Amino acid sequence: MKLSNFLIPLVAIAPTVLASRRISRGPDVSLQLRINSPATDYPAYDDSRIQHFHDKVLLARMKEYFISFVAGNFTGMYDLQADDFHITDIPLAIVRADRNQWLGANSGFSSLMTDVKVQAISIDGGSGPCEFGIMENVVWFTLAVDPPEEAKPGLPPGIKKGDTAGMIMLSTIWWNEEGKVKRELEYGKLLWPGFDIDAFKTW
Ligand SMILES: *[C@@H]1O[C@H](CO)[C@@H](O)[C@H](O)[C@H]1NC(C)=O
């Protein structure tokens, strides 16, 4: 079985990389403009808690990448990745998928999830060549369909079409010399009852 064929069904059990065609308006201004834009100009990506961070290029890079993600702009994410990009996504049980494998998996999510939102909690690292940024964040999504049987173990018990769930994530992203994403690690877990984003307070 080709890995790419294997990855597609995984989208069902993997709410991390979600896409929504309903929120299809992606970024259409330059990175430089976004560096200076207010935190609230794209509500599906809320980075208001990390605005104080000193590396504004890192903030802008994260914003560009995560806005592509919440917008379901798979090709936009692909464009921001280096040729030798690899990603490990623990909630999806994906280990070292390459750029094209990831594009295939990512594209498959759109029919399952909608209304994807990201709340950044904390950030550290840098934007320099071969540096990495690390960001705690919560990803919210709404099921666009009733979950297939094989997806249920990875989702909250009893969740059905139209229900919203969230995951707490730690995203680590390495940049190459040109500022493209060359490596990504996504570690995360479904939110638990009583989850409180303010308990993570670092701002
Ligand atoms: C998708 O993302 C890319 C890279 O950020 C951007 O250039 C493009 O305008 C986006 N497309 C849409 C339809 O939003």
Side-chain angles (χ1 to χ4, degrees):
M1 191 180 194
K2 282 191 354 204
L3 180 56
S4 55
N5 295 338
F6 177 63
L7 288 175
I8 302 302
L10 279 175
V11 303
I13 53 172
T16 2
V17 180
L18 320 154
S20 164
R21 291 196 171 124
R22 277 195 217 163
I23 317 172
S24 59
R25 194 182 63 85
D28 53 10
V29 290
S30 73
L31 182 64
Q32 188 56 48
L33 278 175
R34 278 197 296 284
I35 289 174
N36 299 317
S37 64
T40 52
D41 63 354
Y42 197 91
Y45 176 66
D46 174 9
D47 59 358
S48 59
R49 294 173 179 83
I50 60 173
Q51 279 301 300
H52 60 275
F53 190 67
H54 61 89
D55 188 335
K56 302 305 180 197
V57 174
L58 181 60
L59 289 180
R61 291 244 189 93
M62 288 297 199
K63 183 172 192 168
E64 182 169 50
Y65 199 54
F66 276 82
I67 284 179
S68 300
F69 165 62
V70 297
N73 183 352
F74 328 114
T75 53
M77 294 186 86
Y78 185 86
D79 289 345
L80 296 170
Q81 293 160 354
D83 290 342
D84 60 351
F85 170 81
H86 279 91
I87 180 167
T88 290
D89 188 303
I90 295 302
L92 282 171
I94 288 176
V95 178
R96 276 185 70 79
D98 69 23
R99 191 181 179 205
N100 286 307
Q101 289 164 343
W102 186 248
L103 177 65
N106 205 0
S107 311
F109 298 141
S110 65
S111 57
L112 299 172
M113 308 291 174
T114 186
D115 200 16
V116 181
K117 297 191 178 82
V118 171
Q119 292 175 293
I121 296 175
S122 72
I123 192 167
D124 210 339
S127 58
C130 304
E131 289 191 309
F132 60 84
I134 185 163
M135 192 170 86
E136 281 182 298
N137 60 95
V138 179
V139 177
W140 295 98
F141 57 92
T142 298
L143 286 189
V145 294
D146 285 328
E149 208 53 48
E150 64 275 17
K152 288 182 180 171
L155 291 168
I159 194 169
K160 58 187 188 310
K161 177 180 176 178
D163 290 345
T164 295
M167 298 194 77
I168 177 78
M169 299 298 301
L170 187 59
S171 304
T172 311
I173 295 176
W174 281 259
W175 319 103
N176 72 5
E177 295 76 3
E178 293 151 13
K180 297 232 171 187
V181 177
K182 70 171 182 185
R183 186 180 172 207
E184 180 171 350
L185 296 180
E186 297 288 346
Y187 280 58
K189 182 183 186 299
L190 284 168
L191 301 188
W192 49 90
F195 175 87
D196 175 13
I197 195 170
D198 288 338
F200 292 75
K201 198 160 178 127
T202 56
W203 55 92

